[in-house]
Short mmCIF file of all heavy atoms in Angstrom, two decimals:
data_model
loop_
_atom_site.label_atom_id
_atom_site.label_comp_id
_atom_site.label_asym_id
_atom_site.label_seq_id
_atom_site.Cartn_x
_atom_site.Cartn_y
_atom_site.Cartn_z
N ILE A 293 219.01 81.24 -41.60
CA ILE A 293 218.53 82.59 -41.81
C ILE A 293 219.00 83.05 -43.18
O ILE A 293 220.14 82.79 -43.57
CB ILE A 293 219.01 83.52 -40.68
CG1 ILE A 293 218.36 84.90 -40.77
CG2 ILE A 293 220.54 83.63 -40.65
CD1 ILE A 293 218.54 85.73 -39.50
N ASN A 294 218.12 83.75 -43.90
CA ASN A 294 218.52 84.17 -45.23
C ASN A 294 219.45 85.39 -45.16
O ASN A 294 219.70 85.95 -44.09
CB ASN A 294 217.31 84.43 -46.12
CG ASN A 294 216.64 85.76 -45.84
OD1 ASN A 294 216.64 86.23 -44.69
ND2 ASN A 294 216.06 86.35 -46.86
N TRP A 295 219.93 85.82 -46.32
CA TRP A 295 220.97 86.83 -46.37
C TRP A 295 220.55 88.15 -45.71
O TRP A 295 221.37 88.83 -45.10
CB TRP A 295 221.38 87.10 -47.83
CG TRP A 295 220.30 87.76 -48.62
CD1 TRP A 295 219.29 87.15 -49.31
CD2 TRP A 295 220.10 89.16 -48.79
NE1 TRP A 295 218.47 88.08 -49.88
CE2 TRP A 295 218.95 89.33 -49.59
CE3 TRP A 295 220.78 90.30 -48.35
CZ2 TRP A 295 218.47 90.57 -49.96
CZ3 TRP A 295 220.30 91.55 -48.72
CH2 TRP A 295 219.15 91.67 -49.51
N SER A 296 219.28 88.50 -45.79
CA SER A 296 218.82 89.77 -45.25
C SER A 296 218.36 89.67 -43.80
O SER A 296 218.16 90.69 -43.13
CB SER A 296 217.67 90.31 -46.09
OG SER A 296 216.52 89.50 -45.93
N GLY A 297 218.17 88.46 -43.33
CA GLY A 297 217.61 88.28 -42.00
C GLY A 297 216.10 88.26 -41.99
O GLY A 297 215.49 88.12 -40.93
N GLY A 298 215.49 88.36 -43.15
CA GLY A 298 214.05 88.45 -43.21
C GLY A 298 213.32 87.12 -43.21
O GLY A 298 212.09 87.08 -43.10
N SER A 299 214.06 86.03 -43.32
CA SER A 299 213.44 84.72 -43.37
C SER A 299 214.25 83.75 -42.53
O SER A 299 215.49 83.70 -42.65
CB SER A 299 213.37 84.22 -44.81
OG SER A 299 212.83 82.92 -44.88
N THR A 300 213.57 82.99 -41.69
CA THR A 300 214.23 82.00 -40.85
C THR A 300 213.44 80.69 -40.90
O THR A 300 212.25 80.67 -41.23
CB THR A 300 214.32 82.46 -39.39
OG1 THR A 300 213.00 82.71 -38.89
CG2 THR A 300 215.16 83.73 -39.27
N TYR A 301 214.14 79.62 -40.55
CA TYR A 301 213.49 78.31 -40.49
C TYR A 301 214.21 77.49 -39.43
O TYR A 301 215.43 77.58 -39.30
CB TYR A 301 213.58 77.62 -41.85
CG TYR A 301 212.85 76.30 -41.91
CD1 TYR A 301 211.46 76.26 -41.97
CD2 TYR A 301 213.55 75.09 -41.89
CE1 TYR A 301 210.79 75.05 -42.02
CE2 TYR A 301 212.88 73.89 -41.94
CZ TYR A 301 211.50 73.87 -42.00
OH TYR A 301 210.84 72.68 -42.05
N TYR A 302 213.43 76.69 -38.68
CA TYR A 302 213.97 75.95 -37.55
C TYR A 302 213.62 74.47 -37.63
O TYR A 302 212.55 74.10 -38.15
CB TYR A 302 213.41 76.51 -36.24
CG TYR A 302 213.77 77.95 -35.98
CD1 TYR A 302 212.96 78.98 -36.40
CD2 TYR A 302 214.95 78.27 -35.29
CE1 TYR A 302 213.29 80.30 -36.16
CE2 TYR A 302 215.29 79.59 -35.04
CZ TYR A 302 214.45 80.60 -35.49
OH TYR A 302 214.79 81.90 -35.24
N ALA A 303 214.48 73.67 -37.05
CA ALA A 303 214.15 72.27 -36.83
C ALA A 303 213.03 72.20 -35.80
O ALA A 303 212.95 73.04 -34.88
CB ALA A 303 215.37 71.51 -36.34
N ASP A 304 212.18 71.20 -35.94
CA ASP A 304 211.06 71.06 -35.00
C ASP A 304 211.56 70.95 -33.56
O ASP A 304 210.90 71.43 -32.63
CB ASP A 304 210.25 69.81 -35.36
CG ASP A 304 209.45 69.98 -36.65
OD1 ASP A 304 209.28 71.13 -37.11
OD2 ASP A 304 209.00 68.95 -37.20
N SER A 305 212.71 70.32 -33.37
CA SER A 305 213.21 70.06 -32.01
C SER A 305 213.60 71.32 -31.27
O SER A 305 213.71 71.30 -30.04
CB SER A 305 214.40 69.11 -32.08
OG SER A 305 215.44 69.66 -32.89
N VAL A 306 213.83 72.42 -31.99
CA VAL A 306 214.28 73.65 -31.33
C VAL A 306 213.30 74.80 -31.54
O VAL A 306 213.46 75.86 -30.93
CB VAL A 306 215.67 74.08 -31.82
CG1 VAL A 306 216.67 72.92 -31.66
CG2 VAL A 306 215.65 74.59 -33.24
N ASN A 307 212.31 74.62 -32.39
CA ASN A 307 211.36 75.68 -32.70
C ASN A 307 210.66 76.16 -31.43
O ASN A 307 210.15 75.35 -30.66
CB ASN A 307 210.35 75.19 -33.73
CG ASN A 307 209.62 76.32 -34.41
OD1 ASN A 307 210.08 77.46 -34.43
ND2 ASN A 307 208.48 76.01 -34.99
N GLY A 308 210.70 77.47 -31.23
CA GLY A 308 210.09 78.04 -30.04
C GLY A 308 211.06 78.22 -28.89
O GLY A 308 210.76 78.92 -27.92
N ARG A 309 212.22 77.57 -28.97
CA ARG A 309 213.24 77.70 -27.90
C ARG A 309 214.48 78.44 -28.40
O ARG A 309 215.13 79.14 -27.63
CB ARG A 309 213.65 76.32 -27.40
CG ARG A 309 212.52 75.52 -26.79
CD ARG A 309 213.05 74.24 -26.13
NE ARG A 309 213.69 73.34 -27.07
CZ ARG A 309 214.95 72.91 -26.97
NH1 ARG A 309 215.70 73.30 -25.96
NH2 ARG A 309 215.45 72.08 -27.88
N PHE A 310 214.83 78.24 -29.65
CA PHE A 310 216.03 78.85 -30.23
C PHE A 310 215.62 79.96 -31.20
O PHE A 310 214.58 79.88 -31.87
CB PHE A 310 216.84 77.82 -31.00
CG PHE A 310 217.52 76.77 -30.17
CD1 PHE A 310 217.25 76.62 -28.82
CD2 PHE A 310 218.45 75.91 -30.75
CE1 PHE A 310 217.88 75.64 -28.05
CE2 PHE A 310 219.09 74.94 -30.02
CZ PHE A 310 218.79 74.80 -28.67
N THR A 311 216.48 80.98 -31.30
CA THR A 311 216.25 82.07 -32.25
C THR A 311 217.54 82.37 -32.99
O THR A 311 218.58 82.63 -32.37
CB THR A 311 215.77 83.34 -31.54
OG1 THR A 311 214.57 83.06 -30.82
CG2 THR A 311 215.50 84.45 -32.55
N ILE A 312 217.48 82.33 -34.32
CA ILE A 312 218.63 82.69 -35.14
C ILE A 312 218.47 84.14 -35.60
O ILE A 312 217.36 84.59 -35.92
CB ILE A 312 218.78 81.74 -36.34
CG1 ILE A 312 220.09 81.98 -37.08
CG2 ILE A 312 217.58 81.82 -37.27
CD1 ILE A 312 220.40 80.92 -38.15
N SER A 313 219.57 84.87 -35.60
CA SER A 313 219.55 86.26 -36.07
C SER A 313 220.91 86.58 -36.66
O SER A 313 221.87 85.81 -36.52
CB SER A 313 219.22 87.21 -34.92
OG SER A 313 220.20 87.14 -33.90
N ARG A 314 221.01 87.73 -37.33
CA ARG A 314 222.28 88.13 -37.90
C ARG A 314 222.40 89.64 -37.86
O ARG A 314 221.40 90.36 -37.91
CB ARG A 314 222.45 87.60 -39.32
CG ARG A 314 221.48 88.18 -40.35
CD ARG A 314 221.55 87.40 -41.66
NE ARG A 314 222.84 87.55 -42.33
CZ ARG A 314 223.26 86.75 -43.31
NH1 ARG A 314 222.52 85.72 -43.70
NH2 ARG A 314 224.44 86.96 -43.88
N ASP A 315 223.65 90.08 -37.77
CA ASP A 315 223.97 91.49 -37.83
C ASP A 315 224.95 91.65 -38.99
O ASP A 315 226.15 91.36 -38.84
CB ASP A 315 224.59 91.96 -36.51
CG ASP A 315 224.84 93.46 -36.48
OD1 ASP A 315 224.97 94.08 -37.55
OD2 ASP A 315 224.94 94.00 -35.37
N ASN A 316 224.46 92.09 -40.12
CA ASN A 316 225.31 92.16 -41.31
C ASN A 316 226.39 93.23 -41.18
O ASN A 316 227.43 93.13 -41.82
CB ASN A 316 224.46 92.38 -42.56
CG ASN A 316 223.69 91.13 -42.96
OD1 ASN A 316 224.03 90.01 -42.56
ND2 ASN A 316 222.64 91.31 -43.74
N ALA A 317 226.14 94.24 -40.37
CA ALA A 317 227.17 95.27 -40.16
C ALA A 317 228.36 94.70 -39.39
O ALA A 317 229.48 95.20 -39.52
CB ALA A 317 226.58 96.44 -39.41
N LYS A 318 228.11 93.66 -38.60
CA LYS A 318 229.17 93.03 -37.80
C LYS A 318 229.62 91.69 -38.39
O LYS A 318 230.44 91.00 -37.79
CB LYS A 318 228.70 92.82 -36.36
CG LYS A 318 228.43 94.12 -35.61
CD LYS A 318 228.03 93.84 -34.18
CE LYS A 318 227.78 95.13 -33.41
NZ LYS A 318 227.38 94.89 -32.00
N ASN A 319 229.04 91.31 -39.53
CA ASN A 319 229.39 90.03 -40.16
C ASN A 319 229.25 88.86 -39.18
O ASN A 319 230.11 87.96 -39.12
CB ASN A 319 230.83 90.06 -40.71
CG ASN A 319 230.96 90.96 -41.92
OD1 ASN A 319 229.98 91.46 -42.45
ND2 ASN A 319 232.19 91.17 -42.35
N THR A 320 228.16 88.87 -38.44
CA THR A 320 227.99 87.88 -37.38
C THR A 320 226.57 87.32 -37.40
O THR A 320 225.60 88.06 -37.61
CB THR A 320 228.28 88.49 -36.00
OG1 THR A 320 229.63 88.99 -35.99
CG2 THR A 320 228.14 87.45 -34.90
N VAL A 321 226.47 86.02 -37.19
CA VAL A 321 225.18 85.36 -37.01
C VAL A 321 225.13 84.80 -35.60
O VAL A 321 226.16 84.38 -35.05
CB VAL A 321 224.96 84.27 -38.08
CG1 VAL A 321 226.00 83.17 -37.98
CG2 VAL A 321 223.55 83.70 -38.00
N TYR A 322 223.94 84.81 -35.02
CA TYR A 322 223.76 84.40 -33.63
C TYR A 322 222.76 83.26 -33.53
O TYR A 322 221.88 83.10 -34.39
CB TYR A 322 223.26 85.58 -32.79
CG TYR A 322 224.13 86.80 -32.85
CD1 TYR A 322 223.82 87.86 -33.69
CD2 TYR A 322 225.27 86.91 -32.06
CE1 TYR A 322 224.61 88.99 -33.76
CE2 TYR A 322 226.07 88.04 -32.12
CZ TYR A 322 225.73 89.07 -32.97
OH TYR A 322 226.53 90.18 -33.03
N LEU A 323 222.89 82.50 -32.44
CA LEU A 323 221.88 81.51 -32.11
C LEU A 323 221.60 81.65 -30.62
O LEU A 323 222.43 81.29 -29.78
CB LEU A 323 222.35 80.09 -32.43
CG LEU A 323 221.28 79.01 -32.22
CD1 LEU A 323 220.16 79.16 -33.25
CD2 LEU A 323 221.89 77.62 -32.30
N GLN A 324 220.46 82.24 -30.31
CA GLN A 324 220.01 82.36 -28.92
C GLN A 324 219.29 81.08 -28.55
O GLN A 324 218.29 80.72 -29.19
CB GLN A 324 219.09 83.57 -28.75
CG GLN A 324 218.54 83.73 -27.35
CD GLN A 324 219.61 84.06 -26.32
OE1 GLN A 324 220.47 84.91 -26.58
NE2 GLN A 324 219.56 83.41 -25.18
N MET A 325 219.77 80.40 -27.52
CA MET A 325 219.21 79.12 -27.10
C MET A 325 218.64 79.25 -25.70
O MET A 325 219.39 79.52 -24.75
CB MET A 325 220.29 78.04 -27.15
CG MET A 325 221.00 77.94 -28.51
SD MET A 325 222.14 76.56 -28.62
CE MET A 325 223.36 77.06 -27.39
N ASN A 326 217.36 79.09 -25.57
CA ASN A 326 216.67 79.17 -24.29
C ASN A 326 216.06 77.81 -23.94
O ASN A 326 215.90 76.95 -24.81
CB ASN A 326 215.57 80.23 -24.35
CG ASN A 326 216.11 81.62 -24.62
OD1 ASN A 326 217.23 81.96 -24.24
ND2 ASN A 326 215.30 82.44 -25.28
N SER A 327 215.70 77.66 -22.69
CA SER A 327 215.06 76.42 -22.21
C SER A 327 215.85 75.19 -22.67
O SER A 327 215.28 74.22 -23.18
CB SER A 327 213.62 76.34 -22.72
OG SER A 327 212.88 77.47 -22.29
N LEU A 328 217.14 75.24 -22.46
CA LEU A 328 217.99 74.17 -22.94
C LEU A 328 217.71 72.85 -22.24
O LEU A 328 217.34 72.82 -21.05
CB LEU A 328 219.46 74.55 -22.77
CG LEU A 328 219.98 75.53 -23.82
CD1 LEU A 328 221.24 76.24 -23.36
CD2 LEU A 328 220.23 74.81 -25.14
N LYS A 329 217.88 71.78 -23.00
CA LYS A 329 217.62 70.43 -22.51
C LYS A 329 218.90 69.60 -22.65
O LYS A 329 219.74 69.91 -23.51
CB LYS A 329 216.52 69.77 -23.35
CG LYS A 329 215.22 70.54 -23.40
CD LYS A 329 214.24 69.87 -24.35
CE LYS A 329 212.94 70.65 -24.45
NZ LYS A 329 211.98 70.00 -25.38
N PRO A 330 219.06 68.55 -21.87
CA PRO A 330 220.25 67.70 -22.01
C PRO A 330 220.42 67.19 -23.44
O PRO A 330 221.57 67.03 -23.91
CB PRO A 330 219.98 66.57 -21.04
CG PRO A 330 219.15 67.20 -19.96
CD PRO A 330 218.26 68.17 -20.68
N GLU A 331 219.35 66.96 -24.14
CA GLU A 331 219.45 66.44 -25.52
C GLU A 331 219.94 67.51 -26.51
O GLU A 331 220.18 67.20 -27.68
CB GLU A 331 218.12 65.86 -26.00
CG GLU A 331 216.93 66.77 -25.81
CD GLU A 331 216.16 66.45 -24.53
OE1 GLU A 331 216.81 66.24 -23.47
OE2 GLU A 331 214.91 66.45 -24.58
N ASP A 332 220.10 68.74 -26.05
CA ASP A 332 220.70 69.78 -26.90
C ASP A 332 222.23 69.72 -26.86
O ASP A 332 222.90 70.46 -27.59
CB ASP A 332 220.24 71.17 -26.46
CG ASP A 332 218.75 71.40 -26.66
OD1 ASP A 332 218.23 70.99 -27.71
OD2 ASP A 332 218.13 72.00 -25.76
N THR A 333 222.78 68.89 -26.01
CA THR A 333 224.23 68.74 -25.91
C THR A 333 224.81 68.27 -27.23
O THR A 333 224.39 67.25 -27.78
CB THR A 333 224.59 67.75 -24.80
OG1 THR A 333 224.17 68.30 -23.55
CG2 THR A 333 226.08 67.49 -24.76
#
């Protein structure tokens, strides 16, 4: 995710299942992972 949060890019293997986001006020970046698979281990 870019510095402002306005641009993101994903690996093909996680696109559509994972979401990256950031909260600059909290100095934190997140990775929401849905529909997890054993190969995500």
